[in-house]
Amino acid sequence: MKKFLLLIFLIVGIAKAEDLKVYGFDQEVFKFKDFYFIKNLEIFELDGNTFGRDYKYRTEKPTTFVELAYQLKVSYYELKAANPDINPFKVPANVYIKVPLRKQLPENYQLNTVYVSTQDHRLYLPIEIEGKRYVITFPVGLGGDDFPTPKGEFLITEKKLNPDWVVPPSARRNNPNLPPVVPYGSPENGLGTRALRLNNSSYMIHGTSKRSEKGVGMNISYGCIVLRNQDIERIFELIPLNAKVVIY
């Protein structure tokens, strides 16, 4: 019992030792082109190519990193890397975890280009507002080892509202019972409410179904970049046809 209490004490001290501010203390709503974003969570002012800060968050009940990532709007892998001494599937109540929101863009980033970090499991969209540079960012789901998300430079060649899903060969291999086309609104359609096609290929940046929302931020796709519907709906209008996408 003493060893257990000592372990809990050490875990609680992880975030405190770094003297981090409490998650959510300075967040406010920021409006841009009729869309609302949470400042210091979904939109950040850039300092060179860096932005944000790390926070601490105290758990209210036993939970998992999957649940916390969904609640805190970070990716599962970000939480796991920032808190290596905590079991991601057995997070106790009343412990502090580190919420890693100190990030950086590539040094030579360009405004209005979409960046996707496969390490962070995040999408970044740097923009300029009234002479100041900001970045909009959301966690994303990606492909795993079997269906990796391709890296490189791409262009947005199609934008679709309420898209039907033309099932690619990779998905059919995994589920032969899928029809050639899964219509919008079907529980089997994982494209959600918006889709941005890359280089006229089967790879897209798209939304998701309700039952898969908690998987955003993990490796859940056949190589596509997956956002929650409420997130892709806010950036869909900000990303024009032929916009550049850099996956790294």
Side-chain angles (χ1 to χ4, degrees):
M1 183 66 179
K2 290 182 178 179
K3 290 183 178 179
F4 176 76
L5 292 175
L6 177 61
L7 177 61
I8 292 297
F9 176 78
L10 290 173
I11 291 174
V12 171
I14 289 173
K16 284 184 175 179
E18 296 185 69
D19 193 28
L20 302 176
K21 291 188 178 291
V22 176
Y23 172 90
F25 84 102
D26 62 349
Q27 291 166 4
E28 60 187 74
V29 174
F30 188 101
K31 186 178 181 181
F32 177 58
K33 290 190 176 180
D34 297 326
F35 299 100
Y36 291 91
F37 302 90
I38 301 175
K39 194 173 181 180
N40 299 318
L41 179 61
E42 299 173 333
I43 189 168
F44 299 79
E45 189 169 349
L46 281 160
D47 180 12
N49 70 321
T50 63
F51 62 91
R53 66 185 306 160
D54 296 335
Y55 298 90
K56 64 182 178 183
Y57 176 83
R58 186 176 180 178
T59 59
E60 297 178 350
K61 59 184 180 180
T63 184
T64 68
F65 280 176
V66 174
E67 292 292 336
L68 285 171
Y70 181 76
Q71 177 184 344
L72 303 177
K73 295 213 71 173
V74 296
S75 79
Y76 166 84
Y77 299 102
E78 287 176 298
L79 282 184
K80 187 177 178 181
N83 301 275
D85 297 320
I86 298 180
N87 184 334
F89 301 108
K90 292 183 179 179
V91 183
N94 299 314
V95 300
Y96 283 98
I97 65 166
K98 182 176 180 179
V99 185
L101 287 172
R102 176 69 174 173
K103 303 292 181 183
Q104 65 178 26
L105 293 170
E107 289 187 2
N108 59 344
Y109 79 90
Q110 297 176 330
L111 292 173
N112 304 311
T113 292
V114 179
Y115 294 91
V116 178
S117 168
T118 57
Q119 178 176 334
D120 294 343
H121 280 67
R122 276 193 168 273
L123 178 146
Y124 302 108
L125 177 61
I127 56 175
E128 187 170 83
I129 305 173
E130 297 180 352
K132 293 184 178 180
R133 292 193 169 197
Y134 294 84
V135 60
I136 298 169
T137 178
F138 298 116
V140 296
L142 299 173
D145 293 337
D146 292 337
F147 306 102
T149 298
K151 296 181 179 181
E153 294 189 1
F154 305 85
L155 294 177
I156 301 294
T157 54
E158 183 183 25
K159 298 177 62 174
K160 294 283 288 185
L161 292 169
N162 301 334
D164 296 332
W165 181 33
V166 179
V167 180
S170 55
R172 190 172 303 284
R173 287 197 300 271
N174 190 52
N175 185 355
N177 294 323
L178 285 172
V181 179
V182 180
Y184 169 75
S186 167
E188 297 297 330
N189 185 335
L191 298 188
T193 60
R194 304 287 189 276
L196 302 164
R197 191 173 301 279
L198 304 180
N199 285 12
N200 293 315
S201 70
S202 62
Y203 294 108
M204 292 179 278
I205 301 171
H206 62 74
T208 189
S209 61
K210 281 189 176 181
R211 67 184 183 186
S212 297
E213 273 203 336
K214 289 186 179 180
V216 171
M218 302 179 72
N219 292 335
I220 60 168
S221 78
Y222 293 104
C224 289
I225 297 141
V226 185
L227 290 88
R228 301 179 194 178
N229 288 326
Q230 64 176 352
D231 295 342
I232 194 169
E233 287 170 7
R234 283 180 288 166
I235 62 170
F236 183 83
E237 300 299 334
L238 305 180
I239 302 173
L241 279 174
N242 298 314
K244 185 193 295 186
V245 177
V246 179
I247 306 173
Y248 59 101

